[in-house]
Amino acid sequence: MVLLASVISADAAVKLPSLFRSGMVIQRGKTVPVWGKAGEGELVAVVFNKKRYETQAGADGCWRVDLPKMKAGGPYVMEINDIRLDDVWVGDVWLCSGQSNIDTDIERVYPQYQSEIDSYANDKIRLFRVENQSDTHGPRTDLAAHGWEKLSMKSAWHFSAIGYFLGKRMFEETNVAQGIIQTSWGGTPIQAWVAADSLQRHFPLYYRQTLLYQNDEMVEAQMRANRLANDRWYEVLNATDPGIAGAWNTLSLDDAGWQPVSQYGRLAEGRNFTGSLWLRQHVHIDARRAGRPARLLLGTLYDQDYTYVNGREVGRTYYQYPPRRYQIPGGLLKEGDNVITVRFVNKQGVPHFIKDKPYMMIFGQGDTLRLSEQWLKCPGAEMPACPTGSIAVQNLPSVLYNAMLYPLHPFALSGVVWYQGESNTGNPGEYGQLLKKLMANWRQLWEEPRLPFVVVQLANFMAPSAQPQNSNWAALREQQRLAVKADPYAGLACAIDLGEAVDIHPLRKKEVAARVGLCFDRLVYKKKVDWAPEVVSAVVQGGKAVLTFDRPLRAAGTLYEFELAGADGRFVNAGAILNGARVTVAAPQITAPMRVRYAWKDNPHRANCYSQQGLPVVPFEYVLADE
């Protein structure tokens, strides 16, 4: 009888979701839900800031208490029955979500802001990172997470750089505690973050896909087959690669017969090369640098690399995007001749070095040794394609909503940052509707129809073009612009001048966060701040397009990246003249313009229309009206 009572008591104990931990930040100025599980009918008491709130767990064991609106402050203690949460602050809470550009962490952007990151820590900014998980069956009630952690270089090292800089900026603006929740997964499409029932009517194929994969046996069988195929592919590659058996990474190797090649030349023949390719570069180290530790920067490589110095592996990276920053330990570099060896492994495409990235050794502040662009190359083992029918569960519709978004509600928020779209550029036409679905879906979940959203528009990327492009990236940016324009509680943070031609993950995340912050200043704090200029009218006058903006633009001499199209729909480059808030656009071959667009390219690198405060004009396309 005593044993039975103890079991009932254990089952009845209050359980909190992972969000509720010591060190958390809860939202000021809004009702704050506190919830969890307990035994059926159990009395639950929440004590916070000298006030007590009570409720009973329902038949399903669920309970919820809503704390009233509060002013910023702390630290406080929150007691829930016998659970004590210390160091709780009331301030602002921001949710950062999307794919890899919101995922890009402080470690990646550190060289861009080294002195600032080195010197900054703040106990009143707390970071909460949701771990990557997916669920094909439906919404979960809890999630796996790291946090809450006080902001420091160590705690932020693998945390969203945009979240980090947003928290820092908003603290400086408000002087109240900031909570940053990151729930994001690189490479994932927008439909993975939308509830299944929201997809059912307008996106039936996505909805049926959610039903198709609600079979664990099928999913596991396919994933297991993919794992086995992938493992076997590497086994055969490594067993047949002569570079491994021949120790091609060593300094003593006679590489006189290897072929000289520029790192920006053709490293492998054909449009695709599957398998391994070896490159070596001899580096002379003087007596002053010999034996010293160094950092090897190998820019960015496509795709996988295993990198060695004098036969010792100093680093490896399994996919194309991360910068290669490898530590060379003390004692490894010798006076005189040394060799760097890179073993490329590609499952598709052609191995290559990315231009405009750093390739050097760093021995200390101001002491660098640039690498040559010349290498020696030798093929390893060319391989057949890996026989996998790839399935990435995290990319399926609704699976991240189920596992990484739904369990966060109804934790009170100040606003949401959404930075995603790269994975949907293959089909940009549907993106606007999906984005509207997502915002409506999340607001409904939080029971807050005016929950502010800031959408970060895709940055410029890929090779610039002097001629008009039918760009999917531009088309998706337009869908982002139109979705936000139709939503009075959403803002658009334009990043069209913050990208990089050679990197889908540009480094200027502090500047992105600053523009996100400006949007929240207006949406949340109702401040009169500068946003990106908007076109208020687009008409035809005398065979020219006349655009009127909502404010005067900054004089910039010649304006670039404007285009016009006539009845045939073919766009041509056009000249543009600025006069205050008006831009007149003309092209000699277009006498009856019907459409005008600006910065409509993958990478409109010459776009130079800005507000007088320095914010870029958002890329756009307009149908022209007769005056």
Side-chain angles (χ1 to χ4, degrees):
M1 196 69 175
V2 174
L3 178 61
L4 178 61
S6 65
V7 171
I8 292 174
S9 177
D11 289 343
V14 168
K15 296 178 182 178
L16 298 176
S18 299
L19 274 164
F20 290 91
R21 300 182 182 181
S22 293
M24 68 179 178
V25 178
I26 57 177
Q27 181 61 44
R28 63 169 170 160
K30 291 185 178 181
T31 300
V32 176
V34 181
W35 72 93
K37 298 279 285 186
E40 178 184 353
E42 182 174 356
L43 178 66
V44 179
V46 178
V47 179
F48 186 73
N49 196 16
K50 301 179 181 179
K51 294 183 180 179
R52 181 183 177 92
Y53 310 88
E54 293 185 352
T55 190
Q56 278 187 306
D60 58 357
C62 295
W63 59 267
R64 170 174 164 173
V65 165
D66 288 342
L67 306 184
K69 298 177 181 180
M70 295 172 282
K71 294 181 179 180
Y76 299 113
V77 172
M78 181 180 291
E79 294 178 330
I80 306 163
N81 285 17
D82 58 349
I83 299 174
R84 177 185 172 99
L85 304 180
D86 296 305
D87 194 27
V88 176
W89 291 78
V90 180
D92 291 329
V93 182
W94 311 98
L95 177 64
C96 299
S97 188
Q99 61 176 113
S100 52
N101 268 300
I102 199 76
D103 222 30
T104 298
D105 56 24
I106 286 295
E107 192 246 350
R108 179 79 66 87
V109 306
Y110 177 69
Q112 188 84 6
Y113 312 101
Q114 182 173 346
S115 60
E116 179 176 355
I117 294 169
D118 282 344
S119 62
Y120 191 74
N122 192 326
D123 288 351
K124 292 185 180 180
I125 302 176
R126 306 295 169 89
L127 311 178
F128 186 93
R129 171 70 188 265
V130 178
E131 292 182 12
N132 288 353
Q133 290 188 325
S134 60
D135 197 312
T136 60
H137 291 282
R140 295 183 178 181
T141 57
D142 202 5
L143 42 73
H146 299 285
W148 300 77
E149 296 183 276
K150 300 174 183 178
L151 184 146
S152 66
M153 186 171 74
K154 181 180 178 181
S155 66
W157 196 242
H158 294 299
F159 194 83
S160 166
I162 289 176
Y164 170 98
F165 286 117
L166 178 66
K168 184 174 183 289
R169 179 199 184 276
M170 301 312 271
F171 179 82
E172 291 168 353
E173 290 282 318
T174 64
N175 199 34
V176 305
Q178 302 291 310
I180 312 294
I181 300 173
Q182 178 188 349
T183 182
S184 55
W185 194 326
T188 55
I190 188 172
Q191 59 267 24
W193 296 92
V194 181
D197 56 3
S198 292
L199 298 171
Q200 186 171 2
R201 181 178 177 186
H202 293 103
F203 297 95
L205 288 181
Y206 288 148
Y207 175 70
R208 291 174 191 137
Q209 199 175 7
T210 69
L211 301 179
L212 178 65
Y213 284 92
Q214 288 178 4
N215 184 303
D216 293 341
E217 185 178 358
M218 182 197 77
V219 172
E220 177 53 36
Q222 190 169 353
M223 292 180 68
R224 182 173 182 273
N226 290 344
R227 289 194 298 269
L228 290 173
N230 185 72
D231 292 347
R232 184 58 182 162
W233 190 89
Y234 280 102
E235 287 174 7
V236 174
L237 171 71
N238 294 335
T240 60
D241 188 338
I244 293 177
W248 288 2
N249 58 358
T250 59
L251 181 60
S252 60
L253 176 76
D254 181 5
D255 54 21
W258 286 38
Q259 181 182 349
V261 65
S262 166
Q263 70 182 37
Y264 301 127
R266 184 183 293 275
L267 301 185
E269 298 303 320
R271 297 184 62 184
N272 288 283
F273 179 85
T274 303
S276 61
L277 178 74
W278 295 74
L279 282 89
R280 288 166 59 90
Q281 178 173 150
H282 289 267
V283 180
H284 181 81
I285 300 295
D286 58 26
R288 179 176 62 85
R289 290 169 169 156
R292 293 174 58 188
R295 203 171 195 205
L296 175 63
L297 304 187
L298 271 182
T300 308
L301 309 176
Y302 186 92
D303 184 30
Q304 304 175 42
D305 75 283
Y306 300 79
T307 297
Y308 309 86
V309 173
N310 293 341
R312 180 170 173 178
E313 183 177 331
V314 295
R316 65 174 68 177
T317 305
Y318 294 108
Y319 67 112
Q320 61 178 304
Y321 294 120
R324 274 57 170 180
R325 302 173 188 153
Y326 299 145
Q327 194 65 34
I328 302 174
L332 184 57
L333 293 171
K334 313 297 182 185
E335 183 178 359
D337 187 39
N338 297 259
V339 69
I340 301 169
T341 306
V342 179
R343 182 192 183 222
F344 283 88
V345 174
N346 278 45
K347 297 178 79 173
Q348 60 182 357
V350 177
H352 60 273
F353 293 79
I354 304 299
K355 290 185 178 181
D356 301 322
K357 295 293 182 181
Y359 296 91
M360 64 180 69
M361 290 183 186
I362 301 176
F363 293 88
Q365 187 69 31
D367 185 6
T368 62
L369 176 63
R370 293 192 176 275
L371 301 183
S372 169
E373 293 182 8
Q374 301 302 311
W375 294 75
L376 300 171
K377 76 168 184 177
C378 189
E382 188 169 2
M383 290 284 292
C386 185
T388 60
S390 179
I391 174 176
V393 174
Q394 73 272 16
N395 294 337
L396 296 174
S398 305
V399 296
L400 303 185
Y401 171 88
N402 293 339
M404 296 179 64
L405 191 281
Y406 184 90
L408 292 171
H409 96 286
F411 198 79
L413 304 173
S414 196
V416 177
V417 184
W418 177 252
Y419 192 169
Q420 191 278 337
E422 298 89 343
S423 290
N424 289 88
T425 53
N427 187 9
E430 67 181 18
Y431 191 84
Q433 192 174 2
L434 281 166
L435 181 55
K436 291 177 182 178
K437 284 282 183 187
L438 180 140
M439 292 190 289
N441 183 191
W442 292 18
R443 286 168 174 155
Q444 183 181 37
L445 185 64
W446 260 266
E447 299 178 358
E448 190 172 347
R450 297 183 179 183
L451 180 65
F453 272 79
V454 173
V455 175
V456 181
Q457 196 181 44
L458 294 188
N460 51 310
F461 175 55
M462 294 183 284
S465 172
Q467 299 303 318
Q469 289 180 318
N470 290 321
S471 164
N472 278 8
W473 279 63
L476 193 135
R477 291 187 195 109
E478 181 74 347
Q479 292 292 315
Q480 292 175 316
R481 181 183 75 85
L482 293 174
V484 169
K485 187 176 179 64
D487 190 323
Y489 309 111
L492 188 68
C494 180
I496 198 62
D497 57 342
L498 300 178
E500 299 179 33
V502 296
D503 197 338
I504 200 171
H505 305 125
L507 300 181
R508 297 175 64 187
K509 300 306 188 196
K510 179 180 180 181
E511 291 82 348
V512 173
R515 293 178 185 177
V516 170
L518 280 174
C519 293
F520 282 133
D521 284 349
R522 183 172 174 181
L523 289 168
V524 176
Y525 305 126
K526 311 304 178 185
K527 294 182 180 180
K528 293 183 178 180
V529 296
D530 187 42
W531 267 12
E534 296 182 13
V535 174
V536 294
S537 73
V539 299
V540 178
Q541 291 181 359
K544 301 177 181 180
V546 178
L547 305 174
T548 303
F549 289 83
D550 60 355
R551 74 202 74 177
L553 302 184
R554 188 175 69 191
T558 303
L559 297 180
Y560 297 102
E561 304 289 10
F562 282 90
E563 301 169 9
L564 287 178
D568 63 1
R570 296 178 60 185
F571 281 90
V572 301
N573 290 331
I577 298 173
L578 171 64
N579 181 13
R582 299 181 72 185
V583 175
T584 302
V585 185
Q589 62 271 53
I590 304 291
T591 57
M594 299 184 68
R595 290 178 179 269
V596 60
R597 64 189 189 188
Y598 169 71
W600 195 275
K601 293 175 181 174
D602 299 333
N603 183 6
H605 72 297
R606 297 201 302 169
N608 62 341
C609 274
Y610 286 84
S611 73
Q612 292 185 345
Q613 288 73 29
L615 287 179
V617 169
V618 176
F620 59 77
E621 179 178 328
Y622 280 96
V623 176
L624 294 165
D626 292 327
E627 189 180 34

